[in-house]
Amino acid sequence: MKNTIKLVSVLIMIVLISVTALVVHHNRYSSNDVVKKKSDQEKAEEFAEMMKPKIEEDLHEMDIHNFIKTITFEKDVTINPMGDINIDGYVNGEQEKYGFSASLQYRSKKIGSMSYDADLADRFIDWDEYKDEPEVKENFLGNFTKEEQEQYLKDIGEK
């Protein structure tokens, strides 16, 4: 009888230790689930935020006429099918005219490419490259109304 009590006691101890180990193991994995992993969208938004100063730097490098006064970024950050992160924005408060888009590469931590609305790209033209061909600039300005010509020349610092 004593042996039976000892055997039952040992079995109960083994069961209690096993149950305790299972509970501890389960809680450990459950607590890891509570620590939320960042989604791809959250990572993209953080990366875009980190790259904003570099985008601004690139815009100012393109802006040889010092046209850009302010840079505003859109809130939406998207991930394209190739995995690049896209962020849009505009300069000088003119969302419709002076927009830009930056394609960011997460793995290499760099700007892959940037595109500009036509009106913004026009403000980046280096007319010194055409100093021997003044008709190029004249033809370009000929596409504008008189008011647009005045504004363009003002924007590039010639008026």
Side-chain angles (χ1 to χ4, degrees), residues 25-37:
H25 182 72
H26 177 70
N27 285 341
R28 185 174 294 155
Y29 282 106
S30 294
S31 66
N32 285 341
D33 291 342
V34 172
V35 177
K36 180 183 168 192
K37 292 183 179 179

Side-chain angles (χ1 to χ4, degrees), residues 53-131:
K54 178 66 176 149
I55 295 168
E56 290 175 352
E57 180 182 317
D58 283 9
L59 283 167
H60 284 295
E61 282 179 21
M62 293 294 298
D63 183 24
I64 61 172
H65 303 293
N66 296 317
F67 167 71
I68 297 174
K69 305 298 181 234
T70 62
I71 299 173
T72 306
F73 291 94
E74 303 279 339
K75 291 189 184 335
D76 293 338
V77 173
T78 58
I79 304 170
N80 71 22
M82 297 298 290
D84 288 346
I85 299 164
N86 297 319
I87 184 167
D88 299 326
Y90 52 94
V91 300
N92 297 350
E94 295 280 345
Q95 188 172 7
E96 299 298 320
K97 289 177 69 174
Y98 305 130
F100 64 88
S101 182
S103 177
L104 310 173
Q105 296 175 342
Y106 186 80
R107 287 189 178 154
S108 61
K109 306 290 189 231
K110 66 179 187 177
I111 298 173
S113 64
M114 287 191 59
S115 61
Y116 315 97
D117 285 349
D119 286 332
L120 181 58
D122 289 345
R123 269 67 182 172
F124 296 158
I125 296 173
D126 184 0
W127 290 110
D128 288 341
E129 293 179 14
Y130 302 98
K131 62 184 169 199

